[in-house]
Amino acid sequence: MTTPAHVAIIMDGNGRWAKARGLPRLAGHKAGVEALRQAVRTASDLGVSWLTVYAFSSENWSRPASEVSDLLGLLKLFIRRDLAELHRSGVKVHVIGERQSLQPDIRMLLDEAESLTAGNRSLNLVIAFNYGGRDEIVRAARKIAADVAAGRIDPAAVTEQTVSQALDTRGIPDPDLVIRTSGEMRLSNFLLWQAAYSELVFLPCLWPDFGAEHFEEALRQFRARERRFGGRAERDVISSSA
Ligand code: FPP
C-alpha cells in the first residue's frame, strides 16, 4: 500500500509535556528537538521523500520574549549541531516562511543549511520557520500584483499554477498527509493552500513523545483513507460504468 510522498507535521505539545513533568517549557522544546531528529530518521526509514515541520509560526512572536528567544536559540543550535549530520545522511534542507525580517545571523544559518545541502538526494526536509499560511499567500499575491502592474502577466492568465509558483513552496509537492500531535484538531495557519486535499491525522501523543511507532500509526491511518481529490469514490465509478 502507498506510502505518502510528503508528510507535514505540526509538532504540538512541548509545553504540556514539560508542565506534566514540572519542568520549564524550554525542557519541552529541547525534548521536541530530539523528537524531530528521530522523526527525520524515521521518515527516511519509512521511504517518505518529503518531510515538512512547523518549527516556528509567524504567530509565535506573540509568546513571551524569553520563550521566543529560547525557540530561536534552539533553531540556531539545531542547525549548527545537526547540519553536518543531515548533510552526511544526504538530507536536502529547504526553508519556507518570511525570511527578510529575521535577524541576520538566523537568516545566514538558514541560507547556509540550504546551500550546503542543495545537491543532496535522499530525504527533503522542509523547515517552516517564521511561517504562516496567510502571510505566505499575501506575499505571493503581492508578487503577482507587481507582475501584473508591470505588465508581465495578464490578470486573466493568473491560474492556480501562477499562485503555486509564487508561494514559498514552489517546486515542493503538496503534502499527502498532515499530522498534528497533542490532540488539537486544527491547521493553525499551516500550509493553508497546499493542504487543500491532504489527509489529516490527529494523534493524542505530545510532540516530545512522538516516536517511530506514532509515525507508523499515522501512516496506517493514511493508508486506510480513500483519497478522491474532489472526484468520486473508485467503487462508485466502477459500479456506475458497469
Ligand atoms: C508547540 O508546542 C511547538 C512549538 C511552538 C515549536 C515546535 C518546536 C520544536 C519541536 C522545537 C524547536 C525545533 C526547531 C528546529 C526550532 P507548544 O509550546 O505550543 O506546546 P503546548 O501547546 O503544549 O503549550
Side-chain angles (χ1 to χ4, degrees):
M1 200 43 202
T2 49
T3 296
H6 184 174
V7 177
I9 308 184
I10 303 175
M11 310 181 287
D12 195 10
N14 297 345
R16 277 163 282 172
W17 184 92
K19 191 170 180 201
R21 287 162 180 74
L23 296 169
R25 291 178 66 83
L26 175 58
H29 293 314
K30 282 185 175 164
V33 175
E34 196 43 49
L36 170 59
R37 291 190 179 105
Q38 174 65 45
V40 170
R41 288 191 290 268
T42 308
S44 279
D45 292 347
L46 295 175
V48 169
S49 309
W50 292 84
L51 177 69
T52 297
V53 292
Y54 206 2
F56 192 89
S57 80
S58 30
E59 288 70 39
N60 284 156
W61 296 108
S62 63
R63 294 190 177 204
S66 62
E67 187 173 357
V68 169
S69 138
D70 285 345
L71 284 166
L72 298 184
L74 281 177
L75 175 83
K76 289 191 230 175
L77 206 62
F78 175 71
I79 295 190
R80 289 201 185 109
R81 283 211 189 139
D82 291 52
L83 185 59
E85 172 59 26
L86 291 169
H87 185 41
R88 249 195 315 279
S89 42
V91 173
K92 181 170 179 172
V93 177
H94 310 250
V95 181
I96 57 171
E98 201 284 315
R99 229 180 292 188
Q100 295 319 306
S101 61
L102 291 174
Q103 301 160 5
D105 59 335
I106 294 191
R107 232 168 39 217
M108 268 171 53
L109 278 173
L110 297 176
D111 291 347
E112 186 197 336
E114 285 184 321
S115 54
L116 178 70
T117 62
N120 290 344
R121 289 286 170 268
S122 74
L123 177 76
N124 286 281
L125 173 64
V126 184
I127 301 175
F129 193 82
N130 193 26
Y131 176 85
R134 288 184 174 184
D135 173 70
E136 182 192 31
I137 291 168
V138 167
R139 286 184 289 108
R142 282 197 199 121
K143 269 187 243 167
I144 296 168
D147 281 343
V148 167
R152 289 187 290 267
I153 306 183
D154 175 354
V158 173
T159 61
E160 287 191 11
Q161 204 195 352
T162 319
V163 177
S164 290
Q165 294 291 318
L167 294 170
D168 297 346
T169 49
R170 178 180 56 253
I172 299 177
D174 287 343
D176 302 289
L177 167 64
V178 176
I179 302 171
R180 182 172 188 150
T181 57
S182 91
E184 307 289 346
M185 297 188 192
R186 55 180 171 273
L187 281 178
S188 298
N189 208 11
F190 188 46
L191 301 177
L192 294 182
W193 172 277
Q194 300 84 345
Y197 288 104
S198 304
E199 295 298 330
L200 309 181
V201 168
F202 300 101
L203 298 176
C205 78
L206 301 174
W207 174 250
D209 293 325
F210 185 89
E213 68 279 22
H214 300 98
F215 211 137
E216 284 169 22
E217 166 59 20
L219 262 50
R220 256 193 302 278
Q221 292 193 31
F222 172 82
R223 289 178 179 127
R225 306 273 175 90
E226 185 180 26
R227 303 187 77 195
R228 294 203 292 273
F229 300 96
R232 288 163 60 193
E234 201 163 304
R235 57 174 183 278
D236 295 345
V237 175
I238 290 166
S239 60
S240 69
S241 63

